[in-house]
Amino acid sequence: MFEPRGIFAPVATTFNDLGNIDLQKYKENTVKFSKTGLAGLVILGSNGEFVMLDMGEKVSLVETARKALPSSMRVIAGTGCESVRDTIELTRRCADVGANAALVITPHFFKKDMNSQTLENFFIAIADASPIPIMLYNMPGNAGVNIPHL
């Protein structure tokens, strides 16, 4: 069972000169993090270039990190998408490659419609379908949506 104890560092995504993900550099960075005493890493958080990547790239980053880390270190994967369907799919795929928990940001394209009931329904649907624990990611500065007290 996942327990969110300790320090989890966010990991930036590495790119090569052509703008493609550099998985070798990413793995090297992940291995360096594994020697620091951290409890785990946050992959695909707001500094992980989440919005610039397709679903396959996102999953490959989580898989690369998981394989590079000792089993004692936990992986939290950012999986929040605009739709419930895509968020569930990405969460399941990240769980399949070893993520211990998912970090789900608020959907924000339709900001004006993101009231407390809509957000509650969004997060509950994802949690009910997820094979791993869900962490709500409140980032109003970037998403423009603030999670109310649910």
Side-chain angles (χ1 to χ4, degrees):
M1 187 64 171
F2 175 78
E3 290 190 39
R5 292 183 179 194
I7 298 171
F8 291 77
V11 179
T13 301
T14 54
F15 295 91
N16 63 24
D17 292 340
L18 299 174
N20 298 315
I21 293 175
D22 187 334
L23 286 177
Q24 184 57 41
K25 278 283 189 207
Y26 187 78
K27 179 181 176 182
E28 291 170 14
N29 287 347
T30 304
V31 168
K32 287 177 187 176
F33 276 115
S34 75
K35 298 175 182 176
T36 63
L38 292 166
L41 300 178
V42 178
I43 311 301
L44 302 169
S46 47
N47 72 335
E49 290 72 38
F50 181 89
V51 298
M52 305 299 190
L53 306 172
D54 66 34
M55 193 166 295
E57 291 171 321
K58 293 170 186 175
V59 174
S60 72
L61 289 169
V62 173
E63 182 174 31
T64 299
R66 178 72 278 162
K67 287 180 178 178
L69 295 171
S71 60
S72 60
M73 285 187 77
R74 302 294 180 221
V75 171
I76 299 172
T79 62
C81 302
E82 287 299 314
S83 74
V84 170
R85 181 184 68 216
D86 285 348
T87 304
I88 290 170
E89 179 182 351
L90 183 55
T91 301
R92 287 179 175 163
R93 289 180 64 185
C94 287
D96 288 345
V97 297
N100 302 101
L103 183 65
V104 180
I105 197 164
T106 55
H108 50 275
F109 186 81
F110 296 104
K111 287 179 192 58
K112 293 178 185 175
D113 295 323
M114 293 298 119
N115 59 46
S116 60
Q117 189 61 58
T118 301
L119 289 170
E120 184 175 344
N121 292 344
F122 176 80
F123 288 118
I124 287 173
I126 293 161
D128 286 348
S130 177
I132 55 178
I134 299 296
M135 301 173 80
L136 279 58
Y137 189 14
N138 194 32
M139 181 132 225
N142 285 3
V145 175
N146 191 22
I147 299 173
H149 296 280
L150 298 177

